[in-house]
Amino acid sequence: MPTVKGDGMRGLAVFISDIRNCKSKEAEIKRINKELANIRSKFKGDKTLDGYQKKKYVCKLLFIFLLGHDIDFGHMEAVNLLSSNKYTEKQIGYLFISVLIGANNDLMKLVIQAIRNDLASRNPVHITLALQCVANIGSREMAEGLSVDIPKLLVSGDTIDSVKQSAALTLLRLLRSSPDIIPMGEWTSRIIHLLNDQHMGVVTAAASLIENLVKKNPEEYKGCVSLAVSRLSRIVTSSYTDLQDYTYYFVPAPWLSVKLLRLLQNYPPPEDPAVKTRLTECLETILNKAQEPPKSKKVQHSNAKNAVLFEAINLIIHMDSDPNLLVRACNQLGQFLQHRETNLRYLALESMCLLATSEFSHEAVKKHQETVITALKTERDVSVRQRAVDLLYAMCDRTNAEEIVGEMLEYLESADYSIREEMVLKVAILAEKYAVDYTWYVDVILNLIRIAGDYVSEEVWYRVIQIVINRDDVQGYAAKTVFEALQAPACHENMVKVGGYIMGEFGNLIAGDPRSSPLVQFQLLHSKYHLCSPATRGLLLSTYIKFINLFPEIKHTIQDVLKSDNNMRNSDVELQQRSIEYLQLSSIATADVLATVLEEMPPFPERESSILAKLKKKKPNSVPDGSEQKDQMPKLPTAQMSNSSDSAQPTSINLMSQSKADALVSFEEPPSTITVTTTTTPGVTFAGFPGDTGTSLDDNFGDSLTNLGAGAPESGITLQGFDFGSPAASGAASASVDLLGLGTPTQTTAPPVGGGDGFLVDMFDTLTTSSPAPATNGMDLGGLTGGAEEAFKKFICKNNGVLFENDLLQIGVKSEYREDLGRVWVFYGNKTSFQLNAFCVDISTPGDLATSLSVQQKPVGGEVEAGAQVKQQFNMACVQEFTDAPILNIQFMYSGAQQKINLKLPVVLSKYITPAEMDSGNFFGRWKALSNPSQESQQIFKASAPIDIETTKSKLLGFNVSVLDNIDPNPENFVSAGVLHTRNQQVGILVRLEPNKQAQMYRLTVRASRDRVAKILCDLLQSQL
């Protein structure tokens, strides 16, 4: 408690002494209750209490509260102390309020009024006490009540420096708690100029405030760049004697330097050559000072010096424009790699991971490869070893891939368990990305399984199978290598899976060697059978049926295994079913049918590696977008197949071989089964996919599947597809007709029920009435419900409307976006007079959309009552540019029939653009700067409707770009600008649209500061014009 001469509050001192002298808890409580009763009686009975007595009793209440007792009175007396002119009384009042009065207290309006009075006073001590109270509480009500007073105090020329400091920090506190309330627009330029203030304390506080404001509205505060560079220059070129009050262990103003460097990381490199040159000189000076001998041996000196250095290096990496600075930064970090201080080694490795992604410094980072490998092997701290792994991954390219992968494999045997799984993923990705000889790739993956089999995820061994199947030149080598690997006494189960799969497909390529004859291959695999899990046993059973096709001479040996009680009467229904069905298939099918049913797996379509996708999901920042990815090998696919019995289109299909069934029925699924049942109908019928999931048959199989419905021998077999969840086979004959392409796809349709149009019209501002689609919801070639693509395109330039409507359901969309964040609400309206049951909505992200768009889905109820509607919210964050849109998969039951609707959710890249205003000079200056061919996309096309100036303008505004007047020399042309916001960066967008009314044609040119973005946006906008 503060002590003032002549005002020592003796009563408080006596009370505290009594409490400390209590011998037991009971005595303490008794003394406190006695004091509380006395204080209560004084507050209630004595109306003549002076300020000193109120202060003393309020202090006692505060002390009692700090001892852990509840205080339910005295608040009004504390508020009354705020009106006192004595410092000690006002101080105790503010202290009591800060600690005991919550944001929602009824007295808050009185407190705010008292604070406003103190802020308006000319006493700086009273102003500072009020600001401290606001900063401590920081409630929304305070922000609303003081949103003008505090900024005004901050920029006023009459305010003294210490008050400005407090005002800046108080304003920062309110902005963090209530960013939408404080109106900063009118104060912008004056707040920016606080960086020029003569008082370093004011500049330090203002830097924190401006950095917070810049993150919310960078364009409005871009004027701070030149001032920040100027102030930074004055600091780094000064000696520690020039700023004595703000020098920390011979380092001038380290905290302010760090704040300014961080502030500059919110903007691209300065466009003004003079500012850019001055900033470069600052960064060079900081790097030079790092080479100077230390002025003190104390750790505080090195900490402050290194803090500024690392922030400067972060700015150099962020700018990524000066090769000299990047190489110098890399060399400086290289010196830290062998520093005795663990934290410095960690930070150096972390920063070098970022430098490795720059084309200017990648080679410089590679020079430290041996040092990083040594750190990986010798570091004691697991977090430092983790960063060493990340750096090796980032610096890897074609020239050093084999060496780095070899070192990582060697270290993997003794690696800490917490980083093994991530290391396995990175080794697998590097081996695939930089494999010139795919026999090396196979060796690496098999070594991975041998060394760290428990940490090899399914994606890794799925991936090696994909690559082996897609490359004829490696199939024989892979079969030979896995055969040898399986001969080890201790063999991981993942090795058995890979071996079973590859030998089932390509065992015939090594069967000519007596050491790997068909019988030897079978016996080797079967020797592992009893050690495996049921899922792996199922895969091996599929391998056995493949062996019967490949090697008829061992047919009876395999049939004996299938007949064994261990399989035929297995407690696992899946294994029992496979054994029975495979035995039946091998017994009654002719050789031609077996050869057709169990033919070799076709190549997979090109698609992003599932391993890379998993690593991106696990650690989004661990896969750099730098130069080392520019020479990346073409990615092989993650094949996927849905199991819907009502395929989107008639698709010719042969019964999938073990390879389709076991590894590539969506690489996220367990191996599936083949259901074989006898039938009296002659001919071979291939039925649908039971266990319906409501998605259409993936196009991946469309080109490689052969229609076997006609011309098959009459063997009396019905092969009913693959069961994904249930061991019992299901699926009707009609489903097989759809899959085989022998007739038109049909779907059970619910009886039409009347429902008014415009079911959701009252919910949206600008709805366009769409004609209801038929209740059959037929799928188009892309697996979407009919008309979904056209409905999707209507939302590119608008946010609200009806996305889909048929006789049963109306689906409306409403969305809002702010920078890189978006919220989409989907409304499902039941137009029938019956309840919709088992209502399920799932969202999928095709291709690499999962790594480019972060999607959070809130659940929706399982039923939609008759005539009711339900709402579902999706949160969408743009991580990087994307082309695809999320797919909304809706399923529900109506009148006992399952209904499915697949729609594109209208989330496109242009939704994350905000308009930008600029004058003619700025526009054409930036237009010329974006001169790389990869930064421009141009299209000339016929207008889809008669050209109308106002309609075109509204389309551009709906595309979220500004329409700039008096920019283009031709007044008929449209010129627009915007900023695309992603999680990691902002991309400038410039648009020029030239209409030709006579020819009814447009020429559209889009330029963007990031590759691919211009092409994506140009295609989107062209579709609207």
Side-chain angles (χ1 to χ4, degrees):
M1 294 295 172
T3 56
V4 179
K5 188 174 180 181
D7 195 14
M9 291 189 289
R10 184 172 176 275
L12 175 63
V14 170
F15 174 62
I16 294 174
S17 176
D18 290 347
I19 294 296
R20 289 177 176 173
N21 292 331
C22 290
K23 303 297 184 185
S24 65
K25 188 68 176 174
E26 291 76 13
E28 178 184 309
I29 293 173
K30 183 177 179 181
R31 178 67 181 90
I32 287 172
N33 288 337
K34 179 182 177 183
E35 190 64 37
L36 286 173
N38 177 52
I39 296 171
R40 196 186 300 270
S41 65
K42 291 288 185 181
F43 283 165
K44 282 187 177 181
D46 194 345
K47 303 296 183 183
T48 61
L49 285 177
D50 59 17
Y52 167 77
Q53 291 174 311
K54 287 182 181 178
K55 177 187 71 172
K56 178 178 69 174
Y57 292 133
V58 167
C59 271
K60 287 183 179 181
L61 291 176
L62 192 55
F63 179 72
I64 292 170
F65 175 78
L66 296 178
L67 290 176
H69 300 271
D70 292 332
I71 301 298
D72 56 2
F73 69 98
H75 301 77
M76 193 63 208
E77 284 71 17
V79 172
N80 291 336
L81 286 176
L82 301 184
S83 58
S84 171
N85 288 322
K86 290 188 177 179
Y87 168 75
T88 55
E89 295 175 8
K90 190 180 291 287
Q91 181 195 35
I92 295 301
Y94 276 124
L95 180 61
F96 184 94
I97 288 165
S98 299
V99 175
L100 273 90
I101 292 187
N104 299 321
N105 195 287
D106 295 338
L107 296 175
M108 189 53 66
K109 291 190 185 304
L110 291 175
V111 172
I112 292 173
Q113 185 57 48
I115 290 173
R116 186 179 284 113
N117 294 338
D118 282 337
L119 292 180
S121 73
R122 292 185 170 272
N123 189 329
V125 175
H126 293 177
I127 297 173
T128 305
L129 284 175
L131 290 172
Q132 288 172 350
C133 179
V134 174
N136 283 331
I137 298 175
S139 67
R140 188 174 184 85
E141 191 175 355
M142 278 188 169
E144 291 172 348
L146 305 170
S147 60
V148 175
D149 302 76
I150 297 176
K152 187 176 179 181
L153 192 66
L154 174 61
V155 300
S156 172
D158 299 332
T159 308
I160 66 171
D161 294 332
S162 61
V163 173
K164 280 186 179 180
Q165 281 180 264
S166 298
L169 296 176
T170 303
L171 193 56
L172 176 60
R173 169 73 169 87
L174 294 179
L175 281 169
R176 285 173 176 170
S177 61
S178 307
D180 55 321
I181 292 178
I182 308 296
M184 298 306 300
E186 56 186 298
W187 316 104
T188 299
S189 61
R190 298 170 76 179
I191 287 177
I192 289 174
H193 278 85
L194 289 174
L195 292 175
N196 259 344
D197 199 279
Q198 295 181 351
H199 193 275
M200 293 290 285
V202 174
V203 179
T204 305
S208 298
L209 174 63
I210 293 170
E211 185 183 3
N212 182 275
L213 293 168
V214 161
K215 287 179 178 176
K216 291 179 171 53
N217 196 343
E219 197 63 27
E220 187 176 351
Y221 291 89
K222 64 182 179 181
C224 70
V225 173
S226 58
L227 295 178
V229 172
S230 174
R231 175 63 74 174
L232 181 65
S233 176
R234 279 180 273 168
I235 294 172
V236 299
T237 55
S238 66
S239 70
Y240 64 89
T241 55
D242 297 336
L243 300 171
Q244 289 186 354
D245 290 341
Y246 288 88
T247 296
Y248 180 78
Y249 286 87
F250 304 101
V251 180
W255 283 277
L256 178 56
S257 300
V258 168
K259 288 176 188 292
L260 293 173
L261 289 165
R262 283 184 183 166
L263 176 61
L264 292 171
Q265 289 174 45
N266 292 285
Y267 291 96
E271 296 175 359
D272 187 337
V275 177
K276 188 173 184 179
T277 302
R278 195 170 186 183
L279 177 58
T280 302
E281 290 172 355
C282 290
L283 296 172
E284 287 176 344
T285 304
I286 294 172
L287 292 174
N288 292 336
K289 285 186 175 182
Q291 300 293 333
E292 296 174 359
K295 295 182 173 62
S296 171
K297 293 183 178 179
K298 292 189 175 181
V299 69
Q300 291 92 335
H301 171 73
S302 62
N303 283 348
K305 187 176 177 182
N306 290 331
V308 177
L309 173 63
F310 275 102
E311 210 57 59
I313 290 174
N314 285 341
L315 178 57
I316 291 170
I317 295 170
H318 169 77
M319 292 166 57
D320 194 22
S321 59
D322 191 323
N324 178 50
L325 283 176
L326 285 162
V327 172
R328 286 196 61 188
C330 181
N331 295 336
Q332 180 63 53
L333 292 171
Q335 297 176 19
F336 287 140
L337 291 179
Q338 295 176 311
H339 199 279
R340 59 184 178 84
E341 178 63 42
T342 304
N343 288 337
L344 279 181
R345 296 198 299 276
Y346 178 93
L347 291 170
L349 289 167
E350 188 175 46
S351 297
M352 287 185 83
C353 285
L354 299 174
L355 278 172
T357 65
S358 171
E359 59 181 327
F360 301 119
S361 55
H362 184 73
E363 290 300 319
V365 172
K366 284 169 58 180
K367 294 177 182 177
H368 302 283
Q369 179 178 318
E370 293 302 321
T371 307
V372 178
I373 290 172
T374 303
L376 179 65
K377 295 177 178 178
T378 59
E379 276 290 348
R380 295 182 180 180
D381 192 314
V382 65
S383 61
V384 181
R385 296 199 297 272
Q386 171 75 70
R387 295 285 80 78
V389 170
D390 292 343
L391 180 52
L392 285 174
Y393 177 78
M395 70 167 62
C396 188
D397 58 21
R398 293 198 188 288
T399 63
N400 58 6
E402 289 197 24
E403 184 180 355
I404 286 179
V405 168
E407 293 289 351
M408 291 175 78
L409 276 174
E410 182 183 338
Y411 173 67
L412 191 56
E413 297 192 41
S414 57
D416 192 273
Y417 293 110
S418 62
I419 65 174
R420 283 196 180 188
E421 183 180 1
E422 188 181 329
M423 280 194 70
V424 166
L425 288 174
K426 289 184 172 177
V427 169
I429 291 168
L430 294 178
E432 178 188 339
K433 186 187 295 185
Y434 301 117
V436 178
D437 178 4
Y438 271 87
T439 59
W440 172 73
Y441 169 75
V442 171
D443 289 337
V444 169
I445 300 300
L446 295 183
N447 268 332
L448 271 183
I449 296 173
R450 179 182 58 82
I451 294 169
D454 289 339
Y455 299 90
V456 175
S457 63
E458 289 187 334
E459 286 83 0
V460 174
W461 73 265
Y462 289 165
R463 190 71 179 145
V464 70
I465 287 170
Q466 271 185 299
I467 289 176
V468 169
I469 287 174
N470 277 39
R471 301 191 67 89
D472 296 338
D473 56 333
V474 82
Q475 290 165 357
Y477 179 80
K480 178 175 176 291
T481 307
V482 294
F483 176 78
E484 292 171 353
L486 286 172
Q487 291 175 336
C491 190
H492 195 274
E493 188 169 336
N494 281 338
M495 186 73 79
V496 177
K497 292 176 181 177
V498 175
Y501 195 103
I502 291 179
M503 288 166 66
E505 288 291 331
F506 310 114
N508 59 310
L509 300 179
I510 60 172
D513 189 334
R515 292 170 297 179
S516 56
S517 65
L519 185 59
V520 173
Q521 290 185 42
F522 169 70
Q523 289 173 341
L524 179 60
L525 282 176
H526 196 56
S527 66
K528 314 292 182 184
Y529 185 83
H530 66 287
L531 302 172
C532 298
S533 65
T536 305
R537 290 186 190 184
L539 186 148
L540 289 178
L541 288 175
S542 296
T543 300
Y544 296 166
I545 190 67
K546 294 282 285 189
F547 274 176
I548 290 178
N549 178 48
L550 292 174
F551 313 120
E553 63 268 29
I554 61 171
K555 174 178 178 178
H556 297 296
T557 306
I558 295 175
Q559 284 181 332
D560 290 341
V561 170
L562 296 175
K563 289 176 185 176
S564 66
D565 287 348
N566 185 36
N567 289 320
M568 298 284 279
R569 299 184 179 180
N570 197 293
S571 58
D572 189 288
V573 181
E574 173 79 11
L575 295 180
Q576 184 185 123
Q577 183 179 354
R578 285 197 184 208
S579 301
I580 295 170
E581 292 172 352
Y582 290 166
L583 181 61
Q584 285 289 92
L585 180 62
S586 65
S587 301
I588 62 178
T590 65
D592 289 339
V593 172
L594 275 180
T596 303
V597 169
L598 303 172
E599 69 175 355
E600 188 178 301
M601 183 69 188
F604 297 102
E606 298 295 329
R607 195 177 288 179
E608 183 187 47
S609 165
S610 55
I611 313 174
L612 190 61
K614 178 167 183 177
L615 181 62
K616 285 180 180 177
K617 186 176 181 180
K618 184 179 178 69
K619 291 187 71 176
N621 296 324
S622 67
V623 183
D625 294 327
S627 59
E628 50 90 29
Q629 284 195 314
K630 292 179 183 176
D631 57 352
Q632 185 171 326
M633 291 289 289
K635 293 183 174 63
L636 286 167
T638 301
Q640 293 184 345
M641 185 178 75
S642 72
N643 49 342
S644 171
S645 61
D646 54 341
S647 175
Q649 65 185 81
T651 308
S652 301
I653 182 168
N654 62 348
L655 182 66
M656 309 301 282
S657 59
Q658 164 248 350
S659 44
K660 292 187 186 76
D662 288 344
L664 297 170
V665 178
S666 166
F667 268 167
E668 314 301 326
E669 298 273 16
S672 59
T673 66
I674 298 178
T675 307
V676 183
T677 61
T678 58
T679 177
T680 58
T681 306
V684 181
T685 304
F686 300 84
F689 293 78
D692 190 290
T693 62
T695 54
S696 62
L697 184 66
D698 196 302
D699 292 337
N700 294 346
F701 293 93
D703 298 333
S704 59
L705 305 181
T706 309
N707 186 350
L708 301 177
E714 297 185 2
S715 57
I717 301 175
T718 300
L719 304 177
Q720 288 192 320
F722 309 110
D723 186 348
F724 289 112
S726 163
S730 63
S734 62
S736 69
V737 173
D738 291 351
L739 281 174
L740 286 170
L742 303 177
T744 15
T746 58
Q747 180 175 357
T748 306
T749 60
V753 180
D757 291 342
F759 182 84
L760 300 173
V761 170
D762 58 328
M763 293 177 35
F764 302 107
D765 301 328
T766 57
L767 289 188
T768 55
T769 307
S770 59
S771 57
T776 53
N777 304 337
M779 301 295 177
D780 62 19
L781 295 178
L784 298 174
T785 298
E789 189 67 38
E790 291 72 18
F792 168 79
K793 288 180 181 178
K794 293 178 182 177
F795 281 80
I796 291 177
C797 288
K798 68 174 187 175
N799 290 337
N800 307 331
V802 174
L803 182 63
F804 172 83
E805 184 175 6
N806 66 4
D807 292 332
L808 307 180
L809 193 67
Q810 186 185 56
I811 300 174
V813 171
K814 189 169 186 175
S815 57
E816 64 178 24
Y817 296 84
R818 183 173 181 179
E819 296 185 353
D820 63 324
L821 303 177
R823 285 188 295 183
V824 180
W825 292 273
V826 181
F827 300 84
Y828 310 98
N830 181 355
K831 296 174 64 176
T832 75
S833 53
F834 301 96
Q835 185 184 64
L836 303 182
N837 297 313
F839 194 89
C840 174
V841 179
D842 188 34
I843 190 166
S844 60
T845 48
D848 60 354
L849 184 60
T851 61
S852 304
L853 187 69
S854 174
V855 180
Q856 292 181 347
Q857 173 183 356
K858 295 197 175 177
V860 65
E863 288 83 31
V864 183
E865 297 295 333
Q869 71 179 28
V870 294
K871 179 174 73 170
Q872 185 175 24
Q873 179 177 326
F874 300 87
N875 295 327
M876 307 280 185
C878 181
V879 180
Q880 61 186 26
E881 67 273 14
F882 59 93
T883 53
D884 295 323
I887 304 298
L888 204 61
N889 305 305
I890 305 162
Q891 300 181 52
F892 57 93
M893 298 294 294
Y894 177 77
S895 295
Q898 187 173 49
Q899 307 291 322
K900 300 191 179 103
I901 301 171
N902 295 340
L903 305 171
K904 273 189 176 182
L905 196 60
V907 179
V908 294
L909 190 62
S910 60
K911 300 293 186 184
Y912 298 93
I913 297 176
T914 55
E917 298 292 335
M918 59 184 69
D919 57 24
S920 178
N922 275 338
F923 181 88
F924 285 106
R926 298 186 185 191
W927 183 268
K928 291 175 183 176
L930 300 174
S931 56
N932 286 341
S934 61
Q935 293 177 323
E936 179 183 285
S937 180
Q938 187 176 88
Q939 294 190 29
I940 300 174
F941 54 92
K942 191 81 174 172
S944 60
I947 295 178
D948 178 74
I949 297 298
E950 288 305 315
T951 302
T952 306
K953 183 176 181 179
S954 67
K955 289 280 180 72
L956 289 169
L957 294 174
F959 201 70
N960 295 323
V961 292
S962 60
V963 175
L964 305 176
D965 297 324
N966 304 320
I967 299 289
D968 198 289
N970 184 348
E972 296 292 323
N973 294 344
F974 293 90
V975 172
S976 301
V979 178
L980 171 65
H981 299 271
T982 68
R983 178 177 296 173
N984 301 319
Q985 69 177 114
Q986 296 177 348
V987 182
I989 310 295
L990 300 178
V991 179
R992 192 180 188 192
L993 181 64
E994 300 165 83
N996 185 332
K997 289 187 178 179
Q998 290 181 343
Q1000 287 296 300
M1001 296 186 72
Y1002 286 107
R1003 179 164 68 177
L1004 171 63
T1005 309
V1006 179
R1007 292 188 178 183
S1009 58
R1010 181 172 169 86
D1011 296 352
R1012 292 185 64 228
V1013 171
K1015 176 74 169 77
I1016 297 170
L1017 294 177
C1018 189
D1019 290 344
L1020 284 172
L1021 188 52
Q1022 185 266 335
S1023 70
Q1024 300 300 295
L1025 298 171

